[in-house]
Amino acid sequence: MIRAWRTVRVLPPLLLLPALLLTGCGTEKASEKVSAGTGPGGGTSTAAADPAELASRAKALGIAPELVYVTESPGYTLARQSVGVSGDDGFSAAYWSQRAGTQIELRVDRITFTAGTCAQQPVGGSGASDGRTKCTRDGDDWYRTAGTWHGYAVPKQGYTILLSGSGVPRETLRKAALAVHRPSAAELDGLLPPAPAPGATSSQPVRRGDLPPNGDGAPDNSVPCEGC
């Protein structure tokens, strides 16, 4: 079933990643747990994450467990502030390269690409659609371009994995697409915050351990009160 593209609720934070990571420099060490080299071929454990633990953590954020994936790319590190929901119950994250000043966006959503619908879907943060997206086959995947953005769509059964970037070499994106995999136990630890404690209610917010103790905190949106 072909579904229309959904609004990605975490897209604004992704576009602000460079500023976020610069202001949080030195405070977001936990994000280094999931970075280039932690997947297949990396030096850390690749034992599969416990399915029940993955499901518990993902559902606490409104993400379908089967849509949680990670990737790896030399020089790129997961920005944990970017992890969130895409569409209704999809998954979204971004990997940032401080040296290159670019990011790779990873999204997993319940959409299906065909030769007739691929051009109607935007590419990453380009916003391009309605035929402005150009699609070409690359093996079983789709290589897609729109303006300065380009990336890969990797079809799965009932959903699609999307990797995209602006200013990122095509070969880098291709290798990142090939490296996409389900998170290991070590990767899950640095990817999703802990699940709510047993007995927690909806009125008890989930404590996100991925947020740094200082820097990158929520902005002060209070409005000064005159004459209070």
Side-chain angles (χ1 to χ4, degrees):
M1 179 167 137
I2 299 173
R3 296 194 179 188
W5 187 266
R6 302 183 183 91
T7 300
V8 179
R9 281 180 266 169
V10 296
L11 188 55
L14 293 185
L15 298 177
L16 294 174
L17 271 180
L20 283 174
L21 294 182
L22 285 176
T23 57
C25 184
T27 65
E28 187 62 344
K29 298 299 184 183
S31 66
E32 297 173 3
K33 291 182 181 179
V34 184
S35 59
T38 56
T44 59
S45 171
T46 57
D50 176 63
E53 178 73 7
L54 172 58
S56 179
R57 292 191 180 195
K59 289 178 179 177
L61 296 180
I63 302 169
E66 66 272 20
L67 302 184
V68 178
Y69 280 82
V70 293
T71 190
E72 59 181 78
S73 183
Y76 285 82
T77 302
L78 174 75
R80 291 185 67 183
Q81 300 99 323
S82 70
V83 175
V85 180
S86 174
D88 291 337
D89 62 353
F91 176 76
S92 182
Y95 293 76
W96 168 254
S97 170
Q98 185 171 1
R99 170 178 287 187
T102 56
Q103 67 187 43
I104 296 175
E105 293 185 11
L106 167 65
R107 291 205 299 272
V108 188
D109 214 340
R110 300 186 191 280
I111 54 177
T112 302
F113 285 94
T114 67
T117 64
C118 182
Q120 299 172 11
Q121 310 293 351
V123 181
S126 69
S129 58
D130 300 327
R132 288 181 290 159
T133 299
K134 300 187 185 318
C135 303
T136 56
R137 276 290 191 179
D138 191 335
D140 293 330
D141 306 330
W142 291 96
Y143 173 65
R144 309 165 62 236
T145 63
T148 63
W149 284 79
H150 63 151
Y152 281 88
V154 182
K156 297 291 183 180
Q157 188 65 38
Y159 58 91
T160 301
I161 300 171
L162 300 155
L163 290 105
S164 59
S166 178
V168 182
R170 176 173 177 174
E171 185 62 22
T172 298
L173 290 170
R174 180 59 177 161
K175 289 180 178 179
L178 292 173
V180 167
H181 59 278
R182 299 285 281 166
S184 68
E187 289 171 322
L188 177 61
D189 231 14
L191 183 69
L192 301 178
T201 66
S202 58
S203 62
Q204 296 173 307
V206 177
R207 289 186 62 84
R208 291 198 49 148
D210 58 322
L211 296 177
N214 50 65
D216 291 355
D220 181 4
N221 291 322
S222 61
V223 178
C225 178
E226 297 182 5
C228 293

